Amino acid sequence: MKQLESIIPLITPFTNNRVDKQLAVDHGNDVLRGGMKYLFLAGTTGVGPSLSTQEKLDLLDAFSNIPDSIMLQVGSLNLEDSVDMARTAKKKKIHAVAALPPYYFTGLKREWLVKYYVKISSEYPTIIYNYPDTTGYNITYDIINDIRKDGGNIIGIKETTFNMNDILNTKMYVDDFKVYTGPDQYILSGFRLNLDGYVSGAGNYGYKIIKGIEENYDNEKGDRYQFLLNELSDLSRKYGTISSIYDMVEIITGVDAGCPREPFFKLSDSDRVQLKNEVNTVMEKYNFKL
């Protein structure tokens, strides 16, 4: 059976708008027991941009007993903070760090982007977090090769884009480099196109479905599992991406994942009941039992 590296960007549980490390550990351990390989802390699904540097480090410390299973998003608008977090990751001996480009301020010179990634990855092996829709930058294969020429220790890229041409170009034109697909809808494609792995926000609640894709990527059952995951992801967006995932974790896995941090407000009681009913309807449609 073909296996790709499964990376789950863990939601960050909050209690009274404060990071709840115990709930994070409980949820993270459940995801790992479900067969996923890595937990990605402080990513988009984990509302990383709303976390302080100390909160990110607190999350990292909460998982210090399983460093080989952990990645941390360190990219920020403060390069000194990013470098310091990468140094801490090195001390903790986690699997790797990932870094968004400096978001919000679009128009940075290409050479500055290269320097940014060289400085972070000089501290610790780094996975580029490419999310053009939110950062304003598209890190393509030629930029990656420039970073490496300047000494950057870049080991992979998370492609949060539906531009399959860019994804395949990176796979083709960057040697000894891991390419991970970001959209939940591309997990099956990742298997069939021989990518290296996937980063799936839906894995917070749908890891059993993802295992179904993995076990059946070469047959029609794989398509069916992917369609099921797609419909659940659509429900998440319908009820409010990020916030809805907290409820879907509890509805589907039974694990208490706490609450989101405002301005990602908790779903109303009526929305939660309706979401649960729609989740059950989708599961029944595909004959998948909770």
Side-chain angles (χ1 to χ4, degrees):
M1 181 177 67
K2 181 190 294 186
Q3 289 187 320
L4 303 190
E5 292 185 8
S6 50
I7 304 170
I8 306 306
L10 207 67
I11 54 174
T12 302
F14 295 91
T15 299
N16 297 323
N17 259 349
R18 299 191 176 208
V19 174
D20 192 316
K21 293 193 292 183
Q22 187 57 57
L23 289 183
V25 169
D26 291 345
H27 172 46
N29 285 338
D30 181 66
V31 170
L32 293 176
R33 285 193 297 268
M36 302 294 99
K37 187 170 185 179
Y38 297 113
L39 303 178
F40 181 34
L41 307 180
T44 302
T45 307
V47 294
S50 81
L51 299 176
S52 69
T53 297
Q54 187 57 54
E55 286 175 324
K56 294 175 185 177
L57 295 178
D58 287 345
L59 273 177
L60 186 60
D61 186 63
F63 289 96
S64 59
N65 62 317
I66 50 170
D68 291 343
S69 300
I70 300 300
M71 300 181 186
L72 176 69
Q73 201 294 112
V74 302
S76 71
L77 295 179
N78 186 320
L79 183 52
E80 185 175 349
D81 281 351
S82 297
V83 169
D84 284 345
M85 282 189 283
R87 287 179 183 142
T88 302
K90 182 177 182 179
K91 292 177 183 177
K92 298 285 187 180
K93 298 180 180 179
I94 67 174
H95 177 70
V97 299
L100 287 161
Y103 46 85
Y104 184 78
F105 292 104
T106 58
L108 289 182
K109 290 182 179 181
R110 178 189 180 113
E111 64 192 81
W112 295 353
L113 282 176
V114 170
K115 287 181 178 179
Y116 172 85
Y117 278 109
V118 168
K119 286 199 169 189
I120 293 173
S121 63
S122 294
E123 296 296 335
Y124 208 56
T126 301
I127 296 168
I128 292 173
Y129 188 167
N130 191 35
Y131 199 172
D133 285 351
T134 60
T135 67
Y137 297 97
N138 187 23
I139 311 299
T140 51
Y141 73 89
D142 50 329
I143 297 175
I144 295 167
N145 283 328
D146 284 350
I147 295 168
R148 287 183 144 188
K149 285 177 186 176
D150 280 10
N153 188 12
I154 301 296
I155 61 173
I157 186 168
K158 178 202 173 187
E159 292 279 17
T160 305
T161 172
F162 286 97
N163 189 331
M164 187 56 76
N165 186 58
D166 279 354
I167 295 172
L168 294 178
N169 278 341
T170 298
K171 187 64 181 171
M172 181 179 298
Y173 294 118
V174 184
D175 296 331
D176 190 26
F177 191 73
K178 293 186 176 182
V179 178
Y180 305 98
T181 182
D184 295 317
Q185 297 90 334
Y186 277 7
I187 294 176
L188 182 60
S189 297
F191 280 93
R192 293 180 176 172
L193 293 172
N194 292 314
L195 300 183
D196 299 284
Y198 50 86
V199 184
S200 172
N204 278 279
Y205 54 79
Y207 49 79
K208 291 182 181 178
I209 301 166
I210 292 174
K211 291 300 289 185
I213 295 173
E214 178 182 292
E215 293 165 3
N216 297 280
Y217 70 89
D218 58 352
N219 61 63
E220 291 183 358
K221 285 185 178 179
D223 295 88
R224 193 166 176 79
Y225 279 113
Q226 181 66 73
F227 293 151
L228 168 55
L229 195 70
N230 292 354
E231 291 203 30
L232 291 175
S233 295
D234 288 343
L235 280 181
S236 175
R237 285 187 289 275
K238 174 182 176 180
Y239 285 91
T241 304
I242 304 298
S243 292
S244 60
I245 296 179
Y246 291 78
D247 288 291
M248 292 177 76
V249 167
E250 186 168 0
I251 290 168
I252 295 173
T253 73
V255 173
D256 180 4
C259 297
R261 165 177 273 173
E262 298 173 0
F264 297 100
F265 292 94
K266 188 176 180 180
L267 298 191
S268 66
D269 290 343
S270 59
D271 276 352
R272 191 179 189 283
V273 169
Q274 191 169 339
L275 172 61
K276 184 175 182 178
N277 289 336
E278 292 199 51
V279 166
N280 286 329
T281 298
V282 170
M283 291 294 197
E284 289 173 4
K285 174 181 174 181
Y286 289 91
N287 196 29
F288 193 93
K289 297 182 185 294
L290 294 178

